[in-house]
Amino acid sequence: MTDTTFQLESGVIDPDADTPAVWSRATWFAVLSMAATSFALVSAEFMPAGLLTPMARDLGVSEGVAGQVVTATASVGAVTAILSNVLIGRLNRKTVLVGLSALAVGSNILAANATDFWILLLGRAGLGVALSAFWALSVAVVARLVGANATGRGMAIVTLGVSLATIAAPSMGALISNWLGWRIAMAMTAGLAVFAMLMQWLSLPTLPATTSNSLADVFRLTRRRGIQIGMLAILLLMTGHFAGSVYVRPFLEQVTLLTTGPIALALLGFGVAAVIGNIAGGRMADANVRIALAVTAALMAFAAFALLLWGVHIGVAFCFAAVWGFAFGMAPVVLPTNLSRAAPDALEAAGSLMVTSFQVAITIGAVVGGFVLDTYGATGPLTLTAILSASTVILSLLQPRG
């Protein structure tokens, strides 16, 4: 794992070289194909949030049991993230990415046609494999497409698909399921994956493997101080975010005293701000990733503290929900870029550690946030968000320069 140059059809890109200010049309098309894939995969991941009631009724299970389709995707994904870059070996990365999109197509079709809950879980597990393996490869592929010095900008475009899917998928799923049924809604995510797969096939250059990772290579990276701090930053900030955001509705209902309509508007503002933060995060990460990490964490901590102190006021609640959304939009760009800077010679292995850290943080945040909510009330989860985000600001100051 000593090869630090990236092979493309057009030649070799040195990760330390300056990146051209203007991307070619082919580069834009390739990066947009990655964004389309992230939109398709994350739409499929979040779609069940808008389908739980009709899906549970049709399959003869409770809504709580039906909700485990999300757990299946995340748990399989956590394991896949560690193993994916080991199992693909020396396969051409373009072939792997197209294959993962094909797996997503098949998994979504299987889920849409499930005759019982276990077949649905099997389809969702396949989606978990495609989702995590894609993200484990994403930073390395984007760096090869645009150059390491523009990785933040490239990842901002790719993760824009995440922000859009987070806003659109649950509501789109609910609307389509009411109109045509939950199976059609689920099948439409297969159509999105087909579109992404075609874009990848047409636009991505051949991407021969530059390394063949072993499990020992992946775990060996954890000895690096920059990797340790980068993984800890993901765990702290994302655990804090999901501990609070999953349970923000009870806060808005019980503290701000909002009804369903205004809550929906506040969450829409959160989503729109996340899209803007996504773009800003890419530019800041390329300029100075340490400052970008500190700003991301500080904004999230400030928003959570402000909601705790003044969240009884409707205007304050709307304002700082948007600030929180802006910080969350920055995070999926800044955190992976921050981690990758500690391993320019092992971006794929670092990607595995990055995805695993995210999946663990999501799980811990949701579980701990639920416990804190039940124990301390609606303000408890946001207190946890504020503390963990503020801790990430301190951690960012320990991040190695470079």
Side-chain angles (χ1 to χ4, degrees):
M1 298 185 48
T2 58
D3 183 5
T4 59
T5 57
F6 304 135
Q7 303 294 328
L8 289 173
E9 285 181 324
S10 57
V12 177
I13 293 178
D14 183 344
D16 295 322
D18 291 334
T19 305
V22 179
W23 294 352
S24 69
R25 182 179 300 177
T27 299
W28 271 107
F29 196 18
V31 173
L32 288 174
S33 77
M34 296 287 286
T37 305
S38 75
F39 178 78
L41 293 175
V42 176
S43 291
E45 181 182 19
F46 289 129
M47 184 69 74
L51 307 178
L52 281 186
T53 300
M55 187 166 59
R57 183 172 57 245
D58 191 26
L59 296 176
V61 297
S62 69
E63 291 185 12
V65 171
Q68 298 311 305
V69 297
V70 177
T71 304
T73 305
S75 58
V76 170
V79 176
T80 301
I82 286 291
L83 298 178
S84 59
N85 288 327
V86 175
L87 297 176
I88 62 177
R90 306 290 300 186
L91 290 174
N92 189 291
R93 279 17 182 182
K94 175 179 179 177
T95 303
V96 173
L97 288 170
V98 172
L100 291 173
S101 294
L103 174 61
V105 173
S107 298
N108 290 332
I109 291 175
L110 179 63
N113 290 280
T115 54
D116 61 56
F117 182 67
W118 294 107
I119 294 177
L120 177 63
L121 280 185
L122 181 61
R124 297 295 295 181
L127 176 66
V129 172
L131 188 72
S132 288
F134 169 79
W135 286 117
L137 283 171
S138 61
V139 176
V141 169
V142 168
R144 294 175 69 171
L145 293 173
V146 304
N149 288 344
T151 301
R153 180 186 174 194
M155 284 302 296
I157 295 171
V158 174
T159 56
L160 183 61
V162 177
S163 299
L164 294 174
T166 302
I167 298 170
S171 57
M172 182 175 64
L175 290 173
I176 295 173
S177 66
N178 287 337
W179 183 30
L180 299 172
W182 73 269
R183 295 182 185 276
I184 297 298
M186 192 75 75
M188 289 186 69
T189 62
L192 293 175
V194 169
F195 176 74
M197 181 175 64
L198 291 175
M199 281 193 68
Q200 288 176 327
W201 181 261
L202 293 172
S203 66
L204 288 177
T206 184
L207 297 165
T210 57
T211 60
S212 182
N213 301 310
S214 68
L215 201 55
D217 292 328
V218 175
F219 286 113
R220 192 176 296 118
L221 276 184
T222 60
R223 299 175 185 174
R224 301 186 186 185
R225 181 167 175 264
I227 291 292
Q228 293 168 357
I229 293 177
M231 291 179 67
L232 185 56
I234 293 172
L235 289 172
L236 285 175
L237 192 62
M238 288 295 94
T239 297
H241 167 72
F242 284 99
S245 66
V246 171
Y247 306 103
V248 73
R249 178 165 182 163
F251 178 88
L252 295 174
E253 288 176 335
Q254 298 173 31
V255 177
T256 316
L257 302 179
L258 297 182
T259 57
T260 302
I263 288 174
L265 287 176
L267 295 179
L268 177 62
F270 178 99
V272 172
V275 173
I276 300 171
N278 188 272
I279 298 169
R283 295 186 178 277
M284 289 190 66
D286 283 336
N288 189 316
V289 74
R290 294 174 74 247
I291 291 178
L293 176 59
V295 169
T296 303
L299 285 175
M300 191 174 294
F302 180 59
F305 275 123
L307 286 169
L308 289 169
L309 293 173
W310 306 299
V312 294
H313 304 290
I314 295 176
V316 170
F318 272 75
C319 175
F320 286 102
V323 173
W324 190 348
F326 185 88
F328 175 63
M330 293 179 67
V333 184
V334 172
L335 290 170
T337 304
N338 179 59
L339 186 68
S340 68
R341 294 294 169 87
D345 57 327
L347 290 177
E348 291 185 2
S352 294
L353 296 173
M354 178 268 293
V355 175
T356 299
S357 299
F358 266 98
Q359 297 285 9
V360 171
I362 292 170
T363 303
I364 294 175
V367 172
V368 174
F371 171 78
V372 171
L373 175 69
D374 292 340
T375 306
Y376 299 103
T379 60
L382 267 70
T383 302
L384 191 59
T385 300
I387 292 171
L388 293 179
S389 300
S391 299
T392 310
V393 177
I394 299 172
L395 185 68
S396 69
L397 303 178
L398 303 176
Q399 181 70 37
R401 295 180 181 274

